[in-house]
């Protein structure tokens, strides 16, 4: 876990929020203390019995009202994310819409939830899906609104109360969604947003004896610490962690389509995406041809002012992130790159590296920036071996017109989310999550509710 010393509880600590496209401070946000965190947990705990007892139809109505409130403020939320995270306006609108849709999707759950009746000798066994209690949702800076909704909406639908801790760098949309939810009628303490430092508020939530479950999305390093700390009380965890995902292009694929989409598969959100396909594996027989097709696609990516609707890629989140990305590229072989504005702003151009050494750090480690490494492979076996040569297992793509190969390779690659002849597999109504060191548990889709309830079995004797 983090080693930072928590601030004394009487220290007023504020965090400057910076627009990464201009480097200007756009807001200051007070950081919660350990005492604030304990008070929020107490409120969430106090709100739990009434929320769990709220009739399913009423819980559904309130979650729909939250979705409607997000929808009514979609432009405002999108503008806030543009300013806070530097996301291009089209993408930011998609993100706010995704949060709305996820609340709406899980609003349908309370009225459909139910247990089972299992015949046993001498009576019946009946199962109940019991809510857990207080759930902490710890959110990273790369997709603040979607990740908040992926954790909070199913937890609320299941009857849990929720405390969201946004990332230090991007608290603004979470705070606004918290206000909107309260305005939409969610009772006090049911959904709280608590901005604060990871090693203070985040760690306190994980270690708090009255927090029943943590949904953590973030780096593998911090996620491992969260799991270790959660073990003390056997606090339940869902972990959505890092990725180093492969995009595998076979010689028989539609190379035009694979090359045209490869930039979006890795440069979307400036590469700050756990699902970024940052290892591009290309069959050796079409390697040169593929790079020829890829080059104009990369050079054509529009990097710039996130407020311009034509912009496809904005700045990185911070100067530190830009330096981290640059350090991976220093010493590597740059094949070609796109354009990026000069400062101010934390810009970095889309960059294509070539390599033949899968041990190269840029090929192995999650860079979280607009950088892709291209590596040739010989045959199907070779492709699967290289794709699986990573501790991560989050996402990936493969391109082929051979249906047998598509089936074989999609079963053989170790990843929680794969797309065949498409650059993305994520939909809010299908399960999402990682294998290996990319995480534990699944979010989204119908089964996510199971992560926020515990099954209770009651035997009812018929011998009365
Ligand atoms: P991070 O691990 O530094 O921080 C994530 C969150 O954890 C933040 O809110 C932070 O304040 C908090 N935190 C930090 N230290 C903590 C501690 N000791 N205890 C509890 N909470 C603590 O990650 P980041 O840099 O914000 O995000 C980038 C990472 O997130 C990348 O590795 C990316 O792959 C991953 N990510 C994964 C998914 C997924 O669904 N698999 C989605 C988005 C991002």
């Amino acid at each position: 876990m983090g080693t930072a010393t928590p601030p004394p509880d009487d220290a007023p600590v504020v965090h400057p929020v910076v627009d990464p496209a201009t480097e200007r401070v756009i807001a200051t946000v007070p950081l919660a203390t350990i005492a604030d965190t304990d008070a929020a947990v107490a409120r969430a705990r106090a709100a739990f019995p009434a929320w769990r007892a709220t009739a399913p139809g009423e819980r559904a109505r309130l979650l729909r009202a939250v979705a409607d409130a997000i929808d009514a403020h979609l432009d405002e939320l999108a503008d806030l994310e543009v300013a806070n995270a530097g996301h291009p306006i089209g993408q930011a609108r998609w993100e706010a819409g995704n949060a709305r849709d996820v609340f709406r999707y899980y609003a349908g759950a309370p009225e459909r939830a139910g247990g089972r009746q299992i015949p046993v000798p001498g009576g019946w066994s009946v199962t109940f899906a019991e809510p857990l209690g207080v759930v902490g949702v710890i959110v990273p800076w790369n997709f603040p609104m979607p990740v908040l909704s992926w954790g909070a909406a199913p937890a609320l639908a299941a009857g849990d109360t929720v405390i969201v801790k946004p990332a230090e760098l991007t608290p603004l949309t979470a705070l606004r969604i918290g206000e909107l939810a309260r305005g939409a009628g969610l009772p006090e303490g049911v959904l709280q947003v608590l901005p604060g430092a990871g090693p203070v508020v985040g760690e306190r939530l994980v270690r708090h004896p009255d927090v029943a479950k943590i949904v953590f999305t973030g780096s593998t390093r911090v996620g491992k610490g969260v799991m270790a700390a959660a073990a003390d009380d056997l606090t339940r965890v869902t972990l959505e962690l890092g990725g180093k995902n492969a995009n595998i292009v076979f010689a028989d694929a539609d190379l035009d389509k694979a090359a045209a989409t490869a930039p979006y598969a890795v440069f979307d959100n400036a590469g700050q995406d756990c699902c970024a396909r940052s290892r591009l594996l290309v069959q050796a027989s079409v390697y040169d041809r593929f790079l020829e097709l890829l080059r104009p696609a990369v050079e054509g990516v529009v990097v710039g002012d996130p407020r311009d609707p034509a912009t496809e890629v904005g700045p990185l989140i911070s100067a530190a992130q830009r330096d981290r990305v640059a350090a991976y590229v220093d010493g590597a072989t740059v094949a070609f790159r796109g354009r990026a504005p000069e400062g101010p702003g934390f810009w970095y151009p889309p960059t294509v590296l070539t390599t033949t050494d899968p041990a190269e750090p840029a090929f192995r480690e999650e860079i979280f920036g607009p950088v892709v490494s291209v590596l040739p492979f010989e045959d199907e076996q070779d492709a699967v071996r290289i794709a699986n040569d990573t501790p991560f297992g989050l996402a990936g793509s493969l391109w082929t017109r051979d249906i047998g190969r598509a089936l074989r390779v999609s079963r053989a690659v170790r990843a929680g989310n794969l797309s065949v002849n498409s650059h993305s597999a994520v939909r809010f109504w299908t399960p999402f999550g990682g294998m290996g060191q990319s995480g534990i548990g699944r979010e989204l889709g119908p089964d996510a509710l199971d992560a926020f309830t515990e099954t209770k079995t009651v035997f009812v004797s018929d011998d009365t």
Side-chain angles (χ1 to χ4, degrees), residues 25-388:
V25 174
I26 54 167
T28 51
V29 171
L31 293 181
T33 60
I34 286 175
D36 297 331
T37 312
D38 290 348
V41 174
R43 276 193 298 274
R45 198 177 172 206
F48 174 60
W51 181 244
R52 128 190 229 172
T54 301
E58 176 62 1
R59 241 188 283 148
R61 187 188 69 74
L62 287 167
L63 289 180
R64 269 186 214 107
V66 174
D68 291 347
I70 293 174
D71 193 47
H73 295 82
L74 197 119
D75 289 336
E76 178 198 337
L77 287 165
D79 288 346
L80 213 48
E81 208 66 284
V82 171
N84 190 170
H87 294 181
I89 180 66
Q91 176 191 324
R93 288 181 62 83
W94 177 87
E95 289 172 34
N98 179 264
R100 170 201 60 206
D101 293 344
V102 170
F103 272 96
R104 206 163 268 162
Y105 176 73
Y106 286 109
E111 289 164 313
R112 276 191 229 116
R116 293 192 295 164
Q117 176 269 312
I118 302 165
V120 292
W124 300 270
S125 281
V126 185
T127 67
F128 296 85
E130 301 284 7
L132 303 173
V134 179
V135 172
V137 178
I138 301 177
V139 178
W141 46 259
N142 64 330
F143 287 115
M145 287 187 276
V147 174
L148 177 158
S149 68
W150 299 6
L156 293 170
D160 299 313
T161 53
V162 173
I163 300 171
V164 173
K165 193 208 85 63
E168 293 87 327
L169 294 172
T170 55
L172 298 187
T173 48
L175 286 166
R176 187 68 182 117
I177 288 174
E179 285 172 3
L180 292 171
R182 192 84 174 91
L186 276 195
E188 198 203 336
V190 169
L191 173 63
Q192 301 175 75
V193 177
L194 203 60
V200 180
V201 176
E203 187 158 341
R204 182 62 176 166
L205 284 174
V206 176
R207 291 190 180 279
H208 200 297
D210 291 337
V211 173
K213 159 113 194 181
I214 291 289
V215 182
F216 172 85
T217 306
S219 58
T220 296
R221 183 186 63 79
V222 177
K224 287 179 181 177
V226 165
M227 188 164 174
D232 277 350
D233 289 330
L234 288 182
T235 301
R236 276 56 178 146
V237 290
T238 294
L239 303 176
E240 296 287 0
L241 309 176
K244 188 68 187 178
N245 312 293
N247 191 4
I248 309 171
V249 182
F250 288 97
D252 67 4
D254 179 340
L255 294 185
D256 291 314
K257 197 169 167 200
T261 57
Y264 301 100
V266 62
F267 301 143
D268 266 1
N269 206 26
Q272 302 165 125
D273 181 348
C274 51
C275 292
R277 274 74 165 153
S278 53
R279 293 185 298 155
L280 186 46
L281 313 185
V282 181
Q283 196 151 16
S285 56
V286 294
Y287 180 83
D288 291 339
R289 169 87 189 116
F290 188 81
L291 283 184
E292 273 170 30
L293 293 169
L294 184 63
R295 185 177 194 128
V298 170
E299 289 173 350
V301 174
V302 183
V303 183
D305 179 5
R307 289 161 181 87
D308 182 341
T311 293
E312 295 173 305
V313 171
L316 292 168
I317 191 70
S318 64
Q321 189 65 13
R322 184 184 51 194
D323 294 348
R324 187 184 133 82
V325 173
Y328 276 106
V329 173
D330 282 351
T333 307
V334 176
F336 45 85
R337 58 197 339 179
R339 278 179 294 273
E342 299 291 314
F346 308 125
W347 306 101
Y348 200 83
T351 299
V352 177
L353 308 177
T354 49
T355 183
T356 50
D357 177 10
E360 215 177 71
F363 192 79
R364 289 201 72 75
E365 295 169 21
E366 185 181 46
I367 298 178
F368 232 50
V371 179
V372 62
S373 298
V374 195
L375 182 129
F377 68 85
E378 288 307 321
D379 56 21
E380 193 176 306
Q381 240 187 343
D382 201 24
V384 170
R385 183 185 55 75
I386 298 168
N388 285 343

Side-chain angles (χ1 to χ4, degrees), residues 1-44:
M1 297 298 285
T3 51
T5 311
D9 274 353
D10 56 354
V13 184
V14 293
H15 189 74
V17 177
V18 174
D19 178 342
T22 63
E23 302 185 32
R24 280 203 289 266
V25 174
I26 54 167
T28 51
V29 171
L31 293 181
T33 60
I34 286 175
D36 297 331
T37 312
D38 290 348
V41 174
R43 276 193 298 274

